Amino acid sequence: MSYQEYSGRTLAFLGDAVWSLVVRKYLLLKGIGTGKRLQKLSIEYVSAKSQAAFYDALHEKQFFTEEEEEVYRRGRNDNTGTYPKNTPVQIYRKATGFEALIGMLDLENRESRIEQIMEEVCKLKG
């Protein structure tokens, strides 16, 4: 099936898992040792607040293709009706759009593009 046959929420469901795995691999390969530290650092990459900030910064740099932006909007605009209590709706929706984009790239076997996004995110983190 093509990514176009999936809803934005479904793409985000996959993208959440893929992004988490990409981040965990990155942290392990960076040599960060303990589980407690790994967990704390991974949150800096996978939290809704972080994902929304990554999207905003990369969007501002015009990093994403038009196709990627369209998938982001599908994920962002796909209303579930429920949101986490500790995250503003706008932030949550941006993060969902970011995750949908990652999900689409994974379904399309564009691992190198996901790696490019991770490289850009790492530059943002310093």
Side-chain angles (χ1 to χ4, degrees), residues 8 11-12 15 55 64-65 67-69 71-72 75 95-106 113-114 117:
L11 292 172
Y55 172 78
F64 298 114
T65 67
E67 177 188 35
E68 292 167 346
E69 290 284 359
V71 171
Y72 164 81
T96 302
F98 180 80
E99 291 171 344
L101 164 61
I102 298 298
M104 178 274 286
L105 292 171
D106 184 70
R113 183 61 173 159
I114 296 171
I117 292 170

Side-chain angles (χ1 to χ4, degrees), residues 48-64 69 72 76 90-91 93-95 98 101 121 124:
K49 182 178 177 183
S50 295
Q51 290 176 352
F54 298 150
Y55 172 78
D56 284 342
L58 295 177
H59 174 77
E60 188 174 306
K61 292 170 64 173
Q62 298 180 337
F63 178 80
F64 298 114
E69 290 284 359
Y72 164 81
R76 181 197 64 199
Q90 182 181 13
I91 298 294
R93 293 181 87 174
K94 282 184 180 185
F98 180 80
L101 164 61
V121 163
L124 295 171

Side-chain angles (χ1 to χ4, degrees), residues 43 47-49 83-92:
I43 291 168
S47 72
K49 182 178 177 183
Y83 301 98
K85 293 177 185 174
N86 60 346
T87 305
V89 172
Q90 182 181 13
I91 298 294
Y92 180 77

Side-chain angles (χ1 to χ4, degrees), residues 9-22:
R9 287 291 305 150
T10 302
L11 292 172
F13 173 78
L14 175 61
D16 178 49
V18 170
W19 186 248
S20 181
L21 183 59
V22 167

